[in-house]
Amino acid sequence: MNHFSPELRAKAEALVALYPQRRSALIPMCHLAQGQDGYLTEEAMIEVGELCGVTPAEVRGTATFYDMLHTDPVGKYVVGICTNIACMLSGADELLEHAKGRLGCAVGSTTNDGTFTLEETECLADCDVAPCVQVNHRFVRTTTPEALDALLDELKSGGRSDEIPPHGTLIRVNRSVPLQASKDAIVSERTAMRDAQAQRAEAAK
Amino acid sequence: MSTTIVTARRPFDDSFTIERALATGGYEGLKKALKMTPEAICAEVDAASLLGRGGAGFPAGRKWSMLRKNPTTYLVINGDESEPATFKDHYLIERDPHQLIEGVLIAAYALQVTQAFIFIRGEFALGLERVQAALNEAYAHGAVGQDIFGSGFSVDIVVHPGAGAYICGEETSLLESLEGKRGFPRIKPPFFPAAIGLYGEPTVVNNVETVSNLPWIVSNGGAAFAALGAGRSTGTRLFALSGDVLQSGVFEVEMVKNTFRDLIEAPHLGGGVKGGRSVKAIIPGGVSAPWFYPEHLDIPLGQDEVAEAGSMLGSGSVVVMDESRCMVRAAWRITKFFSRESCGQCTPCREGSGWLERILYRLEHGGGRIEDLDLLLDLCDNIAPGLTWPPQQTTICVLGPSIPSSIHSGISHFRDEFLAHVHDGGCSYDR
């Protein structure tokens, strides 16, 4: 019995087919699993391991290296506030303090109702709209406490769901086609190219 | 008057669509390239003298030439932009994905690679969606896949999302991550993935901005590109300006022809320092770089010019800190970043970054001791012996030796401020 839904399983298998070695699909597949469950569950890590040819322990050991992969439950909305240098110069520490008070939770923890998880992040590469705030890795561009409050209210009442899907859903655009270049064509093309290159090199002498 | 190469589609709100790309010359460079020999394209890139736009500034043509001896197997595009205050690739990824894809295809053809990966940091959800959508459009258009534009050349591109780790911007770490592992940089030598890259095969890793220049170079010729800028720094470059300036943002300027002062003060660029204050320090090229001060403002924005002055153009970011800023706090925050992002493989970096961060924390928060200043420098010297620039390395990658830059800069130039923190528990700035 698979933990992945049939649709997710199909997506995961299509993902594996994109790489010369299946372990390469591990991280994108963890994102897909988070899209189904909101975080990386024990069952999901077992299935990722099976599909990528590694043990569940290796999946966990890899996933925990990365900030975006959560092996414990998080809120429906993960609010990340960057406090790195450019954002610090624009009042990020003050905005983070405000968010802590407003949500009533510490950095790295989740509100009691399970709606919001608050994170202090490193640079998110959007420093011209500082302090930089992301919700579920979408740039929301709320730089003041007032704007942040308004956004949190809106999210809590179910607003902006088109723009900001629940945590875990990362890329909503599916790849339209599998790999196209046929292996045989590539081999013959390579051979022809090498011959042509050799001829040109010979002619240049 | 300014030349725009990679931001030419900036005036258009729909710059990321294939309709806009095709209406403004998109994929014309690729079509021209497919009629040339791969060697001829490499020659144009050599003639352009295109320096890599990722941070190290290595000539792209030379990187490619290592591959020509050693048939390439993979092309990997580094879109893991995470150097603090750098956000120019973010711009290119979100706003002009077709230009990026066209650049990837030109590079793939020049290197005769049949599979390319675009590695984009996971935090760019919109960017990932835009590039995947653009790639789908490009496949439908016949620009990617089997027998592209009827040329007989076949290539596939895969968009690969990262999962949040600064270290993956380091190219060997990026390859590990692409192989589905922790982002641990690989031991050097070999210094270049051209020898042993993805899955142990010869691989070229190029930055997003680097390949985004290729459609223009092929269309207009390497000589036209080399005619811009001066010396080794040719073409234009994207600068990500942030901090205490009136207009922060991504600006494309011709290399060398502008100075840091122009970037910060020109009305069409930074527009000046906020509140009419003056510059206290600037961080050129990312937080790994030694700081500059008001006396450096007239240095031209060129790779060698900045290097000769003792820092680096790096990733093209410029952070401005005005006269009201506390340098202890700035050094602490940057060190905290390195401490959080150290991958943990090498002892000097793993232990050193955390230790440095704790010392700076207590200095910033009023618990510092006079001996802390020497201790900070001594620890920095353990990570990058001699505190030279470019730094000596005691670690597998350059993350560790980058840590001392801000601390050494801060203590060397603003010792009084550090002493004020020791004696008075803080300084008069930033409060």
Side-chain angles (χ1 to χ4, degrees):
Chain A
M1 185 63 197
N2 292 332
H3 174 71
F4 287 179
S5 69
E7 300 78 45
L8 182 64
R9 180 85 188 182
K11 268 186 171 186
E13 283 167 358
L15 190 63
V16 171
L18 295 178
Y19 296 94
Q21 293 185 10
R22 53 193 181 140
R23 182 166 180 165
S24 280
L26 194 150
I27 289 165
M29 202 185 294
C30 287
H31 281 307
L32 289 181
Q34 290 201 140
Q36 174 180 285
D37 302 323
Y39 74 105
L40 260 186
T41 63
E42 209 66 56
E43 295 77 13
M45 283 188 274
I46 293 168
E47 195 155 338
V48 170
E50 176 217 314
L51 283 158
C52 295
V54 297
T55 65
E58 279 177 285
V59 177
R60 175 181 286 276
T62 306
T64 52
F65 183 84
Y66 296 96
D67 290 346
M68 290 173 68
L69 302 177
H70 298 271
T71 50
D72 287 309
V74 290
K76 182 180 178 190
Y77 296 110
V78 174
V79 180
I81 300 180
C82 169
T83 59
N84 206 310
I85 187 75
C87 289
M88 184 194 91
L89 296 173
S90 300
D93 291 331
E94 293 74 13
L95 188 64
L96 184 66
E97 274 311 304
H98 173 82
K100 278 196 240 173
R102 165 69 206 236
L103 293 172
C105 73
V107 169
S109 66
T110 302
T111 54
N112 289 333
D113 63 359
T115 306
F116 297 106
T117 296
L118 181 62
E119 288 186 340
E120 178 185 8
T121 75
E122 293 302 341
C123 186
L124 298 166
D126 201 39
C127 320
D128 52 346
V129 195
C132 178
V133 180
Q134 278 194 334
V135 175
N136 295 347
H137 309 296
R138 266 81 188 167
F139 294 103
V140 291
R141 300 188 168 131
T142 52
T143 57
T144 62
E146 296 72 34
L148 182 64
D149 287 354
L151 174 75
L152 296 176
D153 285 341
E154 206 183 342
L155 290 171
K156 191 153 183 177
S157 60
R160 295 178 75 162
S161 54
D162 287 349
E163 188 194 338
I164 307 174
H167 180 263
T169 300
L170 189 65
I171 313 171
R172 292 166 297 176
V173 179
N174 291 326
R175 190 184 165 94
S176 57
V177 289
L179 297 184
Q180 299 287 293
S182 86
K183 291 280 172 285
D184 295 343
I186 289 169
V187 170
S188 59
E189 181 187 295
R190 272 315 74 81
T191 315
M193 191 60 67
R194 256 197 296 275
D195 293 349
Q197 267 174 354
Q199 274 175 16
R200 284 195 295 272
E202 196 61 39
K205 266 181 196 168
Chain B
M1 190 216 78
S2 62
T3 307
T4 53
I5 294 178
V6 290
T7 62
R9 294 194 182 97
R10 179 171 250 172
F12 305 106
D13 288 341
D14 60 351
S15 58
F16 55 90
T17 63
I18 193 160
E19 290 78 17
R20 178 59 61 193
L22 293 176
T24 49
Y27 295 102
E28 292 302 321
L30 173 64
K31 284 180 181 161
K32 184 176 174 189
L34 291 170
K35 295 195 181 83
M36 298 162 68
T37 63
E39 293 95 329
I41 298 169
C42 292
E44 289 300 329
V45 173
D46 271 336
S49 170
L50 175 65
L51 301 180
R53 291 336 195 210
F58 193 81
R62 234 167 76 213
K63 202 182 237 186
W64 285 12
S65 69
M66 292 186 230
L67 256 291
R68 273 176 276 160
K69 289 172 205 137
N70 200 359
T72 321
T73 313
Y74 299 110
L75 171 65
V76 178
I77 304 306
N78 187 342
D80 190 58
E81 181 172 60
S82 323
E83 181 71 26
T86 307
F87 48 104
K88 47 123 187 148
D89 292 341
H90 178 199
Y91 174 90
L92 293 173
I93 288 166
E94 267 185 20
R95 295 291 298 276
D96 209 338
H98 283 287
Q99 175 176 254
L100 169 62
I101 290 168
E102 186 180 357
V104 175
L105 292 166
I106 292 169
Y109 176 71
L111 293 163
Q112 291 294 300
V113 169
T114 53
Q115 191 167 17
F117 297 93
I118 306 178
F119 186 114
I120 296 174
R121 74 178 288 193
E123 290 89 343
F124 291 167
L126 177 63
L128 282 157
E129 289 179 344
R130 288 248 170 107
V131 176
Q132 186 59 63
L135 185 62
N136 291 348
E137 291 173 331
Y139 267 106
H141 187 61
V144 197
Q146 184 85 14
D147 186 20
I148 63 175
F149 290 144
S151 65
F153 177 69
S154 304
V155 58
D156 278 301
I157 297 179
V158 173
V159 178
H160 184 95
Y166 166 68
I167 192 59
C168 291
E170 201 270 356
E171 63 184 3
T172 63
S173 164
L174 183 143
L175 295 177
E176 288 286 304
S177 188
L178 186 48
E179 290 181 5
K181 301 169 188 163
R182 286 185 287 257
F184 281 168
R186 293 177 182 168
I187 291 171
K188 287 95 181 165
F191 289 96
F192 293 100
I196 300 175
L198 187 63
Y199 314 122
E201 306 273 356
T203 304
V204 160
V205 182
N206 280 147
N207 167 261
V208 165
E209 186 186 347
T210 311
V211 293
S212 292
N213 275 293
L214 295 175
W216 194 95
I217 291 175
V218 169
S219 293
N220 297 277
F225 190 86
L228 299 167
R232 275 204 327 134
S233 302
T234 58
T236 63
R237 188 148 182 191
L238 293 183
F239 287 92
L241 181 65
S242 64
D244 297 322
V245 284
L246 286 171
Q247 294 149 206
S248 46
V250 175
F251 302 106
E252 180 171 10
V253 300
E254 191 178 342
M255 294 272 265
V256 193
K257 299 296 167 64
N258 293 273
T259 63
F260 283 101
R261 189 186 302 283
D262 296 333
L263 182 65
I264 294 165
E265 293 178 0
H268 66 292
L269 301 172
V273 180
K274 276 183 192 167
R277 289 184 289 271
S278 59
V279 170
K280 183 172 186 176
I282 56 177
I283 312 175
V287 298
S288 304
W291 298 353
F292 275 164
Y293 311 99
E295 63 265 32
H296 295 106
L297 284 172
D298 294 312
I299 293 172
L301 297 167
Q303 183 152 305
D304 294 338
E305 290 77 359
V306 173
E308 278 159 26
S311 190
M312 66 169 177
L313 210 52
S315 58
S317 73
V318 176
V319 183
V320 177
M321 295 188 281
D322 73 31
E323 57 189 321
S324 70
R325 297 302 183 179
C326 168
M327 299 293 108
V328 177
R329 189 176 174 201
W332 165 55
R333 185 59 188 85
I334 292 168
T335 307
K336 178 174 159 184
F337 160 75
F338 283 119
S339 163
R340 284 178 71 170
E341 297 295 338
S342 173
C343 83
Q345 279 192 108
C346 313
T347 311
C349 174
R350 183 188 63 240
E351 302 301 320
S353 61
W355 193 355
L356 289 165
E357 193 270 322
R358 289 192 295 277
I359 298 167
L360 285 161
Y361 177 90
R362 69 178 179 241
L363 275 165
E364 167 63 10
H365 293 88
R369 310 159 196 155
I370 187 70
E371 57 271 28
D372 282 344
L373 273 65
D374 285 342
L375 181 58
L376 283 171
L377 292 175
D378 186 41
L379 282 171
C380 286
D381 186 76
N382 272 280
I383 305 175
L387 295 177
T388 54
W389 186 262
Q392 299 287 315
Q393 208 164 321
T394 55
T395 50
I396 290 171
C397 82
V398 292
L399 189 149
S402 301
I403 303 169
S405 290
S406 57
I407 301 170
H408 189 215
S409 295
I411 296 180
S412 309
H413 285 79
F414 305 101
R415 195 175 180 87
D416 288 352
E417 258 173 65
F418 280 78
L419 290 173
H421 275 257
V422 171
H423 297 307
D424 308 329
C427 62
S428 56
Y429 299 107
D430 246 358
R431 288 284 173 269

PDB file of all heavy atoms in Angstrom, chain B residues 363-385:
ATOM      1  N   LEU B 363      29.355  40.947  22.432  1.00  0.00           N
ATOM      2  CA  LEU B 363      29.800  42.326  22.229  1.00  0.00           C
ATOM      3  C   LEU B 363      28.601  43.216  21.886  1.00  0.00           C
ATOM      4  O   LEU B 363      28.432  44.306  22.437  1.00  0.00           O
ATOM      5  CB  LEU B 363      30.812  42.395  21.076  1.00  0.00           C
ATOM      6  CG  LEU B 363      32.277  42.099  21.411  1.00  0.00           C
ATOM      7  CD1 LEU B 363      33.062  41.845  20.136  1.00  0.00           C
ATOM      8  CD2 LEU B 363      32.895  43.264  22.188  1.00  0.00           C
ATOM      9  N   GLU B 364      27.764  42.747  21.001  1.00  0.00           N
ATOM     10  CA  GLU B 364      26.605  43.531  20.572  1.00  0.00           C
ATOM     11  C   GLU B 364      25.619  43.745  21.718  1.00  0.00           C
ATOM     12  O   GLU B 364      24.992  44.782  21.827  1.00  0.00           O
ATOM     13  CB  GLU B 364      25.931  42.830  19.385  1.00  0.00           C
ATOM     14  CG  GLU B 364      24.561  43.321  18.985  1.00  0.00           C
ATOM     15  CD  GLU B 364      24.507  44.769  18.512  1.00  0.00           C
ATOM     16  OE1 GLU B 364      25.578  45.373  18.305  1.00  0.00           O
ATOM     17  OE2 GLU B 364      23.387  45.307  18.380  1.00  0.00           O
ATOM     18  N   HIS B 365      25.510  42.729  22.586  1.00  0.00           N
ATOM     19  CA  HIS B 365      24.505  42.813  23.634  1.00  0.00           C
ATOM     20  C   HIS B 365      25.056  43.209  24.998  1.00  0.00           C
ATOM     21  O   HIS B 365      24.429  42.967  26.020  1.00  0.00           O
ATOM     22  CB  HIS B 365      23.732  41.499  23.716  1.00  0.00           C
ATOM     23  CG  HIS B 365      22.899  41.256  22.486  1.00  0.00           C
ATOM     24  ND1 HIS B 365      23.396  40.617  21.376  1.00  0.00           N
ATOM     25  CD2 HIS B 365      21.624  41.615  22.174  1.00  0.00           C
ATOM     26  CE1 HIS B 365      22.448  40.571  20.435  1.00  0.00           C
ATOM     27  NE2 HIS B 365      21.381  41.171  20.896  1.00  0.00           N
ATOM     28  N   GLY B 366      26.230  43.806  25.014  1.00  0.00           N
ATOM     29  CA  GLY B 366      26.721  44.422  26.256  1.00  0.00           C
ATOM     30  C   GLY B 366      27.515  43.515  27.167  1.00  0.00           C
ATOM     31  O   GLY B 366      27.848  43.909  28.285  1.00  0.00           O
ATOM     32  N   GLY B 367      27.854  42.301  26.725  1.00  0.00           N
ATOM     33  CA  GLY B 367      28.614  41.406  27.598  1.00  0.00           C
ATOM     34  C   GLY B 367      30.045  41.177  27.118  1.00  0.00           C
ATOM     35  O   GLY B 367      30.705  40.221  27.539  1.00  0.00           O
ATOM     36  N   GLY B 368      30.529  42.060  26.254  1.00  0.00           N
ATOM     37  CA  GLY B 368      31.848  41.842  25.661  1.00  0.00           C
ATOM     38  C   GLY B 368      33.000  42.135  26.618  1.00  0.00           C
ATOM     39  O   GLY B 368      32.829  42.832  27.623  1.00  0.00           O
ATOM     40  N   ARG B 369      34.147  41.554  26.308  1.00  0.00           N
ATOM     41  CA  ARG B 369      35.356  41.785  27.108  1.00  0.00           C
ATOM     42  C   ARG B 369      36.431  42.362  26.204  1.00  0.00           C
ATOM     43  O   ARG B 369      36.424  42.131  24.995  1.00  0.00           O
ATOM     44  CB  ARG B 369      35.873  40.473  27.688  1.00  0.00           C
ATOM     45  CG  ARG B 369      34.821  39.657  28.384  1.00  0.00           C
ATOM     46  CD  ARG B 369      35.271  38.190  28.473  1.00  0.00           C
ATOM     47  NE  ARG B 369      34.129  37.337  28.798  1.00  0.00           N
ATOM     48  CZ  ARG B 369      34.056  36.051  28.497  1.00  0.00           C
ATOM     49  NH1 ARG B 369      35.064  35.446  27.873  1.00  0.00           N
ATOM     50  NH2 ARG B 369      32.994  35.358  28.833  1.00  0.00           N
ATOM     51  N   ILE B 370      37.389  43.047  26.799  1.00  0.00           N
ATOM     52  CA  ILE B 370      38.420  43.710  26.010  1.00  0.00           C
ATOM     53  C   ILE B 370      39.232  42.696  25.212  1.00  0.00           C
ATOM     54  O   ILE B 370      39.620  42.951  24.076  1.00  0.00           O
ATOM     55  CB  ILE B 370      39.328  44.599  26.904  1.00  0.00           C
ATOM     56  CG1 ILE B 370      40.296  45.414  26.053  1.00  0.00           C
ATOM     57  CG2 ILE B 370      40.071  43.792  27.947  1.00  0.00           C
ATOM     58  CD1 ILE B 370      39.641  46.499  25.240  1.00  0.00           C
ATOM     59  N   GLU B 371      39.456  41.523  25.794  1.00  0.00           N
ATOM     60  CA  GLU B 371      40.259  40.521  25.082  1.00  0.00           C
ATOM     61  C   GLU B 371      39.501  39.885  23.905  1.00  0.00           C
ATOM     62  O   GLU B 371      40.087  39.171  23.095  1.00  0.00           O
ATOM     63  CB  GLU B 371      40.771  39.438  26.043  1.00  0.00           C
ATOM     64  CG  GLU B 371      39.719  38.684  26.823  1.00  0.00           C
ATOM     65  CD  GLU B 371      39.359  39.331  28.160  1.00  0.00           C
ATOM     66  OE1 GLU B 371      39.491  40.562  28.280  1.00  0.00           O
ATOM     67  OE2 GLU B 371      38.940  38.607  29.070  1.00  0.00           O
ATOM     68  N   ASP B 372      38.221  40.176  23.808  1.00  0.00           N
ATOM     69  CA  ASP B 372      37.437  39.602  22.712  1.00  0.00           C
ATOM     70  C   ASP B 372      37.928  40.057  21.332  1.00  0.00           C
ATOM     71  O   ASP B 372      37.834  39.307  20.350  1.00  0.00           O
ATOM     72  CB  ASP B 372      35.954  39.961  22.846  1.00  0.00           C
ATOM     73  CG  ASP B 372      35.259  39.090  23.883  1.00  0.00           C
ATOM     74  OD1 ASP B 372      35.838  38.044  24.248  1.00  0.00           O
ATOM     75  OD2 ASP B 372      34.158  39.438  24.321  1.00  0.00           O
ATOM     76  N   LEU B 373      38.436  41.286  21.269  1.00  0.00           N
ATOM     77  CA  LEU B 373      38.857  41.794  19.960  1.00  0.00           C
ATOM     78  C   LEU B 373      40.013  40.965  19.407  1.00  0.00           C
ATOM     79  O   LEU B 373      40.010  40.583  18.230  1.00  0.00           O
ATOM     80  CB  LEU B 373      39.256  43.281  20.044  1.00  0.00           C
ATOM     81  CG  LEU B 373      38.108  44.269  19.866  1.00  0.00           C
ATOM     82  CD1 LEU B 373      37.095  44.168  20.992  1.00  0.00           C
ATOM     83  CD2 LEU B 373      38.622  45.681  19.743  1.00  0.00           C
ATOM     84  N   ASP B 374      40.986  40.691  20.280  1.00  0.00           N
ATOM     85  CA  ASP B 374      42.114  39.859  19.831  1.00  0.00           C
ATOM     86  C   ASP B 374      41.667  38.431  19.570  1.00  0.00           C
ATOM     87  O   ASP B 374      42.147  37.775  18.647  1.00  0.00           O
ATOM     88  CB  ASP B 374      43.225  39.878  20.882  1.00  0.00           C
ATOM     89  CG  ASP B 374      43.974  41.196  20.863  1.00  0.00           C
ATOM     90  OD1 ASP B 374      43.867  41.918  19.842  1.00  0.00           O
ATOM     91  OD2 ASP B 374      44.640  41.522  21.862  1.00  0.00           O
ATOM     92  N   LEU B 375      40.751  37.959  20.406  1.00  0.00           N
ATOM     93  CA  LEU B 375      40.262  36.592  20.242  1.00  0.00           C
ATOM     94  C   LEU B 375      39.547  36.435  18.893  1.00  0.00           C
ATOM     95  O   LEU B 375      39.747  35.443  18.175  1.00  0.00           O
ATOM     96  CB  LEU B 375      39.318  36.241  21.397  1.00  0.00           C
ATOM     97  CG  LEU B 375      38.735  34.822  21.400  1.00  0.00           C
ATOM     98  CD1 LEU B 375      39.838  33.775  21.409  1.00  0.00           C
ATOM     99  CD2 LEU B 375      37.827  34.608  22.614  1.00  0.00           C
ATOM    100  N   LEU B 376      38.761  37.431  18.545  1.00  0.00           N
ATOM    101  CA  LEU B 376      38.065  37.389  17.249  1.00  0.00           C
ATOM    102  C   LEU B 376      39.074  37.269  16.103  1.00  0.00           C
ATOM    103  O   LEU B 376      38.937  36.425  15.222  1.00  0.00           O
ATOM    104  CB  LEU B 376      37.228  38.664  17.047  1.00  0.00           C
ATOM    105  CG  LEU B 376      35.902  38.776  17.801  1.00  0.00           C
ATOM    106  CD1 LEU B 376      35.339  40.187  17.637  1.00  0.00           C
ATOM    107  CD2 LEU B 376      34.885  37.753  17.318  1.00  0.00           C
ATOM    108  N   LEU B 377      40.088  38.143  16.149  1.00  0.00           N
ATOM    109  CA  LEU B 377      41.069  38.144  15.057  1.00  0.00           C
ATOM    110  C   LEU B 377      41.878  36.849  15.043  1.00  0.00           C
ATOM    111  O   LEU B 377      42.230  36.335  13.981  1.00  0.00           O
ATOM    112  CB  LEU B 377      41.986  39.359  15.170  1.00  0.00           C
ATOM    113  CG  LEU B 377      41.280  40.704  14.914  1.00  0.00           C
ATOM    114  CD1 LEU B 377      42.232  41.868  15.157  1.00  0.00           C
ATOM    115  CD2 LEU B 377      40.706  40.771  13.499  1.00  0.00           C
ATOM    116  N   ASP B 378      42.177  36.326  16.248  1.00  0.00           N
ATOM    117  CA  ASP B 378      42.935  35.083  16.331  1.00  0.00           C
ATOM    118  C   ASP B 378      42.138  33.920  15.726  1.00  0.00           C
ATOM    119  O   ASP B 378      42.667  33.093  14.970  1.00  0.00           O
ATOM    120  CB  ASP B 378      43.280  34.807  17.803  1.00  0.00           C
ATOM    121  CG  ASP B 378      44.205  33.610  17.938  1.00  0.00           C
ATOM    122  OD1 ASP B 378      45.131  33.495  17.106  1.00  0.00           O
ATOM    123  OD2 ASP B 378      44.006  32.786  18.846  1.00  0.00           O
ATOM    124  N   LEU B 379      40.852  33.880  16.027  1.00  0.00           N
ATOM    125  CA  LEU B 379      40.001  32.827  15.466  1.00  0.00           C
ATOM    126  C   LEU B 379      39.899  32.969  13.953  1.00  0.00           C
ATOM    127  O   LEU B 379      39.965  31.984  13.216  1.00  0.00           O
ATOM    128  CB  LEU B 379      38.594  32.908  16.070  1.00  0.00           C
ATOM    129  CG  LEU B 379      38.425  32.344  17.467  1.00  0.00           C
ATOM    130  CD1 LEU B 379      37.049  32.702  18.009  1.00  0.00           C
ATOM    131  CD2 LEU B 379      38.571  30.830  17.409  1.00  0.00           C
ATOM    132  N   CYS B 380      39.754  34.221  13.507  1.00  0.00           N
ATOM    133  CA  CYS B 380      39.686  34.467  12.055  1.00  0.00           C
ATOM    134  C   CYS B 380      40.976  33.980  11.394  1.00  0.00           C
ATOM    135  O   CYS B 380      40.944  33.380  10.313  1.00  0.00           O
ATOM    136  CB  CYS B 380      39.490  35.954  11.768  1.00  0.00           C
ATOM    137  SG  CYS B 380      37.832  36.547  12.116  1.00  0.00           S
ATOM    138  N   ASP B 381      42.092  34.230  12.059  1.00  0.00           N
ATOM    139  CA  ASP B 381      43.386  33.816  11.527  1.00  0.00           C
ATOM    140  C   ASP B 381      43.491  32.288  11.443  1.00  0.00           C
ATOM    141  O   ASP B 381      44.192  31.749  10.597  1.00  0.00           O
ATOM    142  CB  ASP B 381      44.500  34.387  12.407  1.00  0.00           C
ATOM    143  CG  ASP B 381      45.874  34.126  11.831  1.00  0.00           C
ATOM    144  OD1 ASP B 381      46.226  34.825  10.870  1.00  0.00           O
ATOM    145  OD2 ASP B 381      46.572  33.215  12.328  1.00  0.00           O
ATOM    146  N   ASN B 382      42.785  31.604  12.318  1.00  0.00           N
ATOM    147  CA  ASN B 382      42.773  30.144  12.271  1.00  0.00           C
ATOM    148  C   ASN B 382      41.985  29.613  11.078  1.00  0.00           C
ATOM    149  O   ASN B 382      42.243  28.526  10.588  1.00  0.00           O
ATOM    150  CB  ASN B 382      42.153  29.576  13.553  1.00  0.00           C
ATOM    151  CG  ASN B 382      43.187  29.393  14.636  1.00  0.00           C
ATOM    152  OD1 ASN B 382      43.914  28.426  14.640  1.00  0.00           O
ATOM    153  ND2 ASN B 382      43.267  30.360  15.539  1.00  0.00           N
ATOM    154  N   ILE B 383      41.000  30.387  10.641  1.00  0.00           N
ATOM    155  CA  ILE B 383      40.191  29.950   9.499  1.00  0.00           C
ATOM    156  C   ILE B 383      40.848  30.359   8.188  1.00  0.00           C
ATOM    157  O   ILE B 383      40.857  29.605   7.217  1.00  0.00           O
ATOM    158  CB  ILE B 383      38.751  30.530   9.577  1.00  0.00           C
ATOM    159  CG1 ILE B 383      38.111  30.178  10.910  1.00  0.00           C
ATOM    160  CG2 ILE B 383      37.898  30.006   8.426  1.00  0.00           C
ATOM    161  CD1 ILE B 383      36.738  30.805  11.110  1.00  0.00           C
ATOM    162  N   ALA B 384      41.409  31.584   8.171  1.00  0.00           N
ATOM    163  CA  ALA B 384      42.058  32.090   6.963  1.00  0.00           C
ATOM    164  C   ALA B 384      43.414  32.674   7.373  1.00  0.00           C
ATOM    165  O   ALA B 384      43.525  33.873   7.617  1.00  0.00           O
ATOM    166  CB  ALA B 384      41.193  33.154   6.300  1.00  0.00           C
ATOM    167  N   PRO B 385      44.449  31.836   7.461  1.00  0.00           N
ATOM    168  CA  PRO B 385      45.734  32.263   8.018  1.00  0.00           C
ATOM    169  C   PRO B 385      46.293  33.516   7.349  1.00  0.00           C
ATOM    170  O   PRO B 385      46.305  33.620   6.124  1.00  0.00           O
ATOM    171  CB  PRO B 385      46.645  31.061   7.757  1.00  0.00           C
ATOM    172  CG  PRO B 385      45.721  29.900   7.654  1.00  0.00           C
ATOM    173  CD  PRO B 385      44.456  30.433   7.047  1.00  0.00           C
TER     174      PRO B 385
END
